[in-house]
Amino acid sequence: MTQKMGFMPGCSLPSYTPEGVKKTMEYLKMVYPDLGGVQKCCGKGTKALGQEDKFKERFAGLQKDIDDVGIEMMVVACQNCYKTIKETSDHTNVESLWTLLPRIGLPEEVKGKGSVSDVVFAIHDSCSTRYEKEIQDGIRWILSELGYRVEESEFSREKARCCGFGGMIVPANPDLAMRVMKRRGNDFDSDYVVVYCAACRSSLMKAGKKAFHILDLLWGPVIYNEEPAPEDVLSSPAKSWINRYKSKHAVRKVVKA
Amino acid sequence: MEFRTEVVDLASNIAENCMGHEEAFCVAACPMHTDVKKYVAQIGGGNYQGAMETIREKLFLPNTLGRICAHPCEVDCRRNTEFGQAISVAGLKRFVAEKADNKELWDVKVKASTGKKVAVIGAGPAGAQAAIDLRKEGHAVVIYDKLKVVGGMMRVGIPEYRLPREVIDFEYSYLEDLGVSFQMGVEVGKDISFDELRVIYDAIILAHGAHKGNLPPVQGKEAKGVFHAVEFLKEISFTHKFVRGGKRIAIVGGGDVAMDCARSSWRIGCDEVFLISLEDRNNLPASQAEIEESLEEDVKFNNGWGTDEIVKNEHGAVSSIRLKKVASVFNEEGRFAPTFTDETKEIEVDTVIFATGQQVEDITGGLLEQQGGGRYDVNPDTLATKLSDVFVAGDASGGVIVVEAMALGRKAAKSVDRYLQNRDLNKARHIKKELSYKTRLDVPLPKGTVNLPRTSGNHREARERKRDFLPYDLGYTEEQAKKEASRCIQCECKLCMTECIMLNDFTECPQDLFSEFIDKGEIDPVIPYSCNMCGGCTHVCPNDYQIGEAFMGMRKDFILHNDGKSPMEGHKAIEIHQMLGFSKVFCTKVKGVK
Ligand SMILES: Cc1cc2nc3c(=O)[nH]c(=O)nc-3n(C[C@H](O)[C@H](O)[C@H](O)COP(=O)(O)OP(=O)(O)OC[C@H]3O[C@@H](n4cnc5c(N)ncnc54)[C@H](O)[C@@H]3O)c2cc1C
């Protein structure tokens, strides 16, 4: 018996790209017609502050939402959501979008589209999943299916370094956070960096890199050298919340379509 | 504010076991704990005066040790254990001592006089070091030596071609600068009794070395022409001759002392030099360098042979030495118990020197008990004896090399200083660190480390050098020294510190940070709240310490003690952010339908 699938975009991704959320869900809906959807925070931020009780309370709220709509297997596009659900939920299974896509394949029309690009992308792995080799492999598989050329840095995969955003340090120690971001930026020779976390993308933009979310490459236009990266939306709270609101509607619309 | 036990436990485990301050292999192995790593780096960087100052913090004999130290640091050097090619630590020390040592760098400060008097018997390295340390503490110190010259075995054992005597005299002048007094040419037990000394002095350190040569029970050992290494080398040290010996000489023994005898034999004019050892070539106790240099000088090695008999002529003088083939040197329990086959051979010689070990002579008139080799019964931690005012150091207490003798001298001096102040000899003392020890450092080789060959030195041609007592090793040139110093791996852990920016803002290593937390029972919240929780530190930590987890635990405690709120001002925004992230406006749940 197959499990009931759902998708959860998380926080930073829907704040960054409602379009990316929508296209991803549309594709998943094609493969899993009864795909459900939940948009809510997993509570990682609360947990990171050390607010254990509040975190438990908040995660229970998320768990209730998941159960209410009968999702047994939650697909996530955020590494923190992945870890939080995996470590906290006692009955909801979780799978990263980055391991799911290699199993279900990419839509025909995107395959090989990056092969005309002259960009060589560096890959920034998320430090929260430094030991999740399958997720890292999935990202590389997607890039290779798209036809983009990539280069590995010394600090990739399990040696990944923090983008500077982790641990809620930006508000606590902004000067330090900025230095961590700059250092991470300097780990890459290429100006073009592909990431799979929207918060990491924002950090790398602050470090002066042209950072792309992998969903930008999957659903957006082909990227060529000299082209700018999308705006650092997450730096603007207003824009972020508007996007988050738009994403919420996208989730509803796609699931109900 | 009180932290939960799990947080404290995690922190104390890191505080206790983090290798951040664990010594490098060389520094731990050096009985004096000279900061080898530091001065090698200074030499590499051309800071010779700095290197000299670093060395002089611990050693008053840099040039001497640079030439003759048995260098336990090189044995434990990572380049030795990994690649079999240690950094030439001693060679570098000699280089910099010749280049930059200067009396102006010598620390001649002594504390105000205590009115106490200490006698040190023996002007070897143990006695000298003890005298220095006690004098600096403000005690009056008198060194007694039966010889008229300072240096002990370094002067009358170690041959001059390895250690020029003016080097010893120059470096020993430090003791005079400090105000140590000398009674040279006075033999304790003969010219003055041990009991008399105990009446005159508040405390005594016995550092008279191991100068008694015992001949093993070999048939014919009473023959004319049989001597012990100690008397042989001593006479050569003073006269460059050994008048009672002949031209064809056999040295019995396989250690460094045997090599010294063999190589000295050429220099006093022998025609043939044979070396006879029980051990085979690969198991000789002598250092590899000494073996190679002896071979270069054409010493005829007879390894794996024991002495069957010293054959005499009609005048009772040595005419040859008969050897028997060794079957095994050690028995099954690993104890020295040589066995032989029936095979024998005879070598014509007129002189036989036994380099088979030296013993400690008793100079206390039997007041103190002695053990194997003559070394005195002492408390190994303090070097105290059953006579509360008497302490032992150096070879007399069981040492075997110069730098160890110095460390034992320092140890004895520390005990004497406590004794004179009526302080407990053991309390609050890092006994382990008073001699050579094994560091806990256990780290992967730094990335990109390759096997670089040891920089070879400049030895004079064997044919030329074996006929005089001038230094056979000319030492490194500046270029060679820098090259050699650059091979140093600078062993340390601190891998997390190369990985994490945040830790560097607050500490030198996790050991310091968590020790301070344990000691004070508090921590500035900005520290745990500056951790990215990225796990980079744990990833590179050889012990996988969960440093982020420890910070996370602290955060939880801060929240518990702050009404559920973060103590960081900036986190108010996060609270709002999280609230919105869970609010209806931005959340949704939709059931999927086909
Ligand atoms: C041939 C030889 C070569 C060696 N080579 C090396 C080497 O290359 N590297 C190394 O590290 N170690 C070497 N050693 C070992 C090293 O020399 C000793 O470990 C070290 O010198 C011991 O120092 P000490 O101060 O305990 O005694 P010593 O150096 O032996 O000094 C003892 C002093 O006490 C004096 N003395 C003895 N009895 C009396 C008395 N009754 N009254 C007054 N004074 C007395 C002696 O004259 C002597 O000056 C060598 C030893 C020998 C024998």
Side-chain angles (χ1 to χ4, degrees):
Chain A
M1 225 191 67
T2 53
Q3 303 180 83
K4 193 113 158 66
M5 306 284 280
F7 182 71
M8 165 170 165
C11 296
S12 59
L13 183 67
S15 298
Y16 166 52
T17 171
E19 189 61 18
V21 170
K22 181 167 155 267
K23 293 223 163 109
T24 303
M25 288 192 72
E26 280 169 353
Y27 180 59
L28 291 179
K29 172 96 179 160
M30 266 167 56
V31 183
Y32 304 106
D34 62 345
L35 183 82
V38 170
Q39 176 156 317
K40 193 169 245 182
C41 174
C42 72
K44 165 76 193 183
T46 309
K47 192 177 176 186
L49 287 187
Q51 297 171 312
E52 257 189 314
D53 293 341
K54 204 174 242 175
F55 166 70
K56 279 192 193 132
E57 191 186 299
R58 284 179 168 164
F59 189 84
L62 170 67
Q63 185 68 64
K64 181 169 182 302
D65 287 358
I66 296 173
D67 295 343
D68 283 352
V69 295
I71 294 169
E72 292 161 326
M73 165 62 87
M74 187 61 93
V75 178
V76 295
C78 164
Q79 285 59 255
N80 279 321
C81 293
Y82 176 81
K83 275 186 78 176
T84 306
I85 298 176
K86 196 170 170 178
E87 286 165 10
T88 321
S89 178
D90 58 358
H91 60 275
T92 306
N93 294 322
V94 61
E95 171 152 20
S96 165
L97 179 62
W98 322 125
T99 55
L100 179 68
L101 288 176
R103 286 202 286 111
I104 62 176
L106 298 187
E108 275 314 311
E109 64 272 20
V110 302
K111 284 189 190 166
K113 74 184 207 181
S115 55
V116 294
S117 164
D118 54 353
V119 176
V120 178
F121 279 101
I123 303 170
H124 163 79
D125 290 298
S126 303
C127 62
S128 53
T129 47
R130 67 170 70 245
Y131 298 115
E132 301 285 348
K133 184 171 179 299
E134 254 190 275
I135 293 182
Q136 296 154 0
D137 286 345
I139 293 300
R140 284 146 181 88
W141 180 88
I142 296 167
L143 288 164
S144 127
E145 280 288 289
L146 292 175
Y148 279 109
R149 282 184 298 150
V150 297
E151 65 184 23
E152 290 288 350
S153 78
E154 187 186 341
F155 298 100
S156 75
R157 294 182 181 262
E158 58 178 31
K159 288 198 208 152
R161 282 170 159 174
C162 180
C163 68
F165 197 84
M168 300 295 130
I169 79 158
V170 177
N173 194 339
D175 162 71
L176 170 66
M178 198 60 221
R179 280 182 284 137
V180 177
M181 289 174 189
K182 288 257 156 67
R183 195 252 317 243
R184 186 51 174 161
N186 288 334
D187 284 345
F188 305 110
D189 293 335
S190 173
D191 260 352
Y192 286 81
V193 183
V194 59
V195 306
Y196 43 106
C197 162
C200 294
R201 197 191 86 85
S202 172
S203 296
L204 284 165
M205 292 295 285
K206 292 193 180 75
K209 289 282 158 179
K210 291 177 179 159
F212 291 78
H213 195 283
I214 192 158
L215 293 181
D216 295 332
L217 302 187
L218 184 58
W219 308 122
V222 176
I223 307 302
Y224 296 94
N225 264 320
E226 305 304 328
E227 270 181 51
E231 178 192 352
D232 178 15
V233 181
L234 298 189
S235 283
S236 153
K239 285 184 189 163
S240 302
W241 289 111
I242 290 169
N243 276 347
R244 181 99 66 113
Y245 186 76
K246 285 186 186 164
S247 292
K248 164 185 158 177
H249 283 288
V251 171
R252 297 191 73 83
K253 225 165 115 188
V254 176
V255 172
K256 288 189 169 160
Chain B
M1 169 180 152
E2 188 123 348
F3 288 85
R4 282 161 308 147
T5 27
E6 24 292 30
V7 179
V8 175
D9 288 351
L10 196 50
S12 13
N13 185 31
I14 300 174
E16 273 165 40
N17 300 311
C18 163
M19 298 185 288
H21 285 298
E22 206 49 35
E23 289 293 9
F25 303 95
C26 49
V27 183
C30 175
M32 291 295 283
H33 307 302
T34 323
D35 199 339
V36 177
K37 190 171 93 177
K38 183 171 170 189
Y39 78 72
V40 169
Q42 287 169 318
I43 293 170
N47 178 7
Y48 303 133
Q49 179 171 332
M52 209 49 236
E53 284 165 2
T54 303
I55 295 169
R56 280 215 165 261
E57 276 171 24
K58 292 288 167 72
L59 306 177
F60 79 102
L61 288 168
N63 194 346
T64 300
L65 287 169
R67 293 163 190 267
I68 58 86
C69 187
H71 45 63
C73 56
E74 294 189 23
V75 177
D76 282 9
C77 171
R78 193 79 193 269
R79 282 212 175 269
N80 187 39
T81 54
E82 294 286 341
F83 304 114
Q85 303 227 46
I87 299 288
S88 179
V89 177
L92 288 171
K93 185 162 41 242
R94 169 180 168 184
F95 164 79
V96 78
E98 287 185 292
K99 185 108 189 147
D101 196 16
N102 168 350
K103 268 184 176 277
E104 272 154 34
L105 301 177
W106 299 6
D107 174 15
V108 291
K109 284 191 297 292
V110 295
K111 288 191 186 158
S113 170
T114 60
K116 304 278 183 191
K117 290 187 305 217
V118 183
V120 174
I121 301 162
Q129 187 64 53
I132 290 168
D133 289 4
L134 288 167
R135 187 65 205 110
K136 285 190 163 183
E137 290 303 323
H139 309 301
V141 183
V142 182
I143 293 182
Y144 287 81
D145 201 296
K146 65 179 179 189
L147 298 175
K148 289 226 161 65
V149 286
V150 293
M153 256 324 170
M154 298 188 294
R155 181 133 208 162
V156 294
I158 296 177
E160 196 174 335
Y161 60 85
R162 291 208 284 130
L163 178 58
R165 304 323 190 199
E166 65 273 16
V167 172
I168 303 177
D169 287 331
F170 173 68
E171 302 197 313
Y172 262 74
S173 70
Y174 178 54
L175 278 78
E176 283 159 41
D177 297 350
L178 284 175
V180 172
S181 308
F182 287 89
Q183 288 284 328
M184 301 305 286
V186 179
E187 182 170 348
V188 176
K190 199 170 117 198
D191 303 318
I192 186 167
S193 78
F194 179 63
D195 293 334
E196 271 174 86
L197 287 178
R198 288 185 70 197
V199 174
I200 307 170
Y201 293 95
D202 297 298
I204 294 179
I205 292 180
L206 302 178
H208 59 294
H211 290 240
K212 194 164 69 173
N214 268 0
L215 301 183
V218 171
Q219 210 186 331
K221 69 178 169 131
E222 69 292 340
K224 267 187 256 164
V226 178
F227 305 94
H228 191 275
V230 173
E231 59 176 324
F232 180 67
L233 291 172
K234 186 169 173 182
E235 185 173 326
I236 294 174
S237 285
F238 287 132
T239 63
H240 289 184
K241 287 200 278 281
F242 189 68
V243 288
R244 290 170 290 166
K247 293 279 186 190
R248 294 176 58 84
I249 193 163
I251 315 294
V252 181
D256 283 333
V257 174
M259 303 298 153
D260 284 340
C261 292
R263 298 177 67 183
S264 294
S265 299
W266 287 127
R267 289 161 172 82
I268 55 169
C270 288
D271 295 335
E272 286 270 28
V273 183
F274 302 94
L275 186 124
I276 293 145
S277 74
L278 295 169
E279 301 88 357
D280 60 36
R281 174 77 59 82
N282 296 327
N283 291 303
L284 284 177
S287 72
Q288 203 48 41
E290 280 292 328
I291 294 170
E292 279 162 22
E293 288 154 18
S294 302
L295 285 169
E296 281 168 18
E297 292 178 8
D298 223 7
V299 172
K300 300 268 179 324
F301 279 41
N302 290 266
N303 305 121
W305 292 92
T307 310
D308 191 23
E309 186 185 344
I310 293 164
V311 184
K312 291 177 272 194
N313 63 16
E314 64 277 22
H315 308 295
V318 176
S319 66
S320 71
I321 182 165
R322 194 168 61 239
L323 308 178
K324 48 186 174 176
K325 185 90 193 131
V326 172
S328 65
V329 182
F330 298 98
N331 67 13
E332 274 168 12
E333 287 106 66
R335 258 199 307 244
F336 181 74
T339 59
F340 303 91
T341 70
D342 292 338
E343 194 185 341
T344 61
K345 70 174 174 183
E346 212 166 306
I347 303 175
E348 245 181 71
V349 291
D350 50 30
T351 313
V352 176
I353 307 292
F354 280 96
T356 45
Q358 305 75 240
Q359 299 201 321
V360 182
E361 197 143 20
D362 179 38
I363 55 168
T364 69
L367 274 176
L368 292 180
E369 270 152 44
Q370 289 174 289
Q371 296 181 350
R375 74 202 140 87
Y376 287 106
D377 264 344
V378 290
N379 175 328
D381 289 346
T382 60
L383 301 180
T385 65
K386 66 178 186 190
L387 305 174
S388 64
D389 57 332
V390 181
F391 298 79
V392 188
D395 283 6
S397 68
V400 287
I401 59 173
V402 171
V403 70
E404 185 188 16
M406 292 167 69
L408 290 164
R410 169 156 287 178
K411 194 188 226 334
K414 193 173 243 174
S415 295
V416 167
D417 184 51
R418 285 171 174 238
Y419 166 75
L420 294 176
Q421 296 178 54
N422 280 319
R423 281 173 56 208
D424 189 282
L425 295 187
N426 288 287
K427 222 172 177 171
R429 203 166 155 168
H430 291 291
I431 297 292
K432 174 181 126 178
K433 301 213 164 167
E434 290 182 10
L435 284 174
S436 204
Y437 67 89
K438 289 281 171 213
T439 174
R440 285 192 302 114
L441 192 64
D442 185 4
V443 286
L445 275 179
K447 212 178 63 208
T449 308
V450 290
N451 180 11
L452 300 170
R454 182 169 158 122
T455 314
S456 51
N458 307 300
H459 293 179
R460 290 165 62 210
E461 205 44 63
R463 236 174 332 151
E464 175 204 314
R465 74 188 187 220
K466 69 192 256 195
R467 289 302 180 191
D468 65 42
F469 283 89
L470 297 173
Y472 79 100
D473 179 354
L474 303 174
Y476 280 140
T477 62
E478 182 163 4
E479 194 189 338
Q480 287 171 324
K482 280 193 166 164
K483 180 165 161 225
E484 181 58 12
S486 72
R487 294 172 65 229
C488 177
I489 298 173
Q490 292 288 305
C491 300
E492 67 170 354
C493 186
K494 293 198 177 149
L495 292 167
C496 55
M497 302 306 291
T498 55
E499 188 57 33
C500 177
I501 297 183
M502 169 259 170
L503 283 172
N504 282 280
D505 280 1
F506 299 108
T507 191
E508 202 183 305
C509 70
Q511 183 158 55
D512 288 352
L513 191 144
F514 289 104
S515 301
E516 200 183 319
F517 166 69
I518 298 291
D519 291 348
K520 291 191 181 158
E522 59 179 39
I523 189 164
D524 185 336
V526 77
I527 298 176
Y529 278 105
S530 291
C531 170
N532 277 127
M533 309 282 165
C534 72
C537 52
T538 309
H539 183 67
V540 296
C541 175
N543 292 328
D544 298 329
Y545 286 132
Q546 307 283 325
I547 296 170
E549 279 302 305
F551 289 141
M552 193 64 222
M554 294 173 184
R555 288 185 181 193
K556 287 179 184 169
D557 280 336
F558 278 118
I559 297 284
L560 287 176
H561 289 84
N562 195 37
D563 285 336
K565 302 243 175 299
S566 161
M568 305 306 295
E569 192 54 35
H571 279 157
K572 289 210 174 101
I574 298 281
E575 302 247 1
I576 295 169
H577 202 276
Q578 283 280 290
M579 224 173 63
L580 290 174
F582 285 95
S583 82
K584 279 223 169 75
V585 189
F586 298 105
C587 295
T588 187
K589 54 181 170 189
V590 216
K591 192 168 178 128
V593 282
K594 272 201 190 135

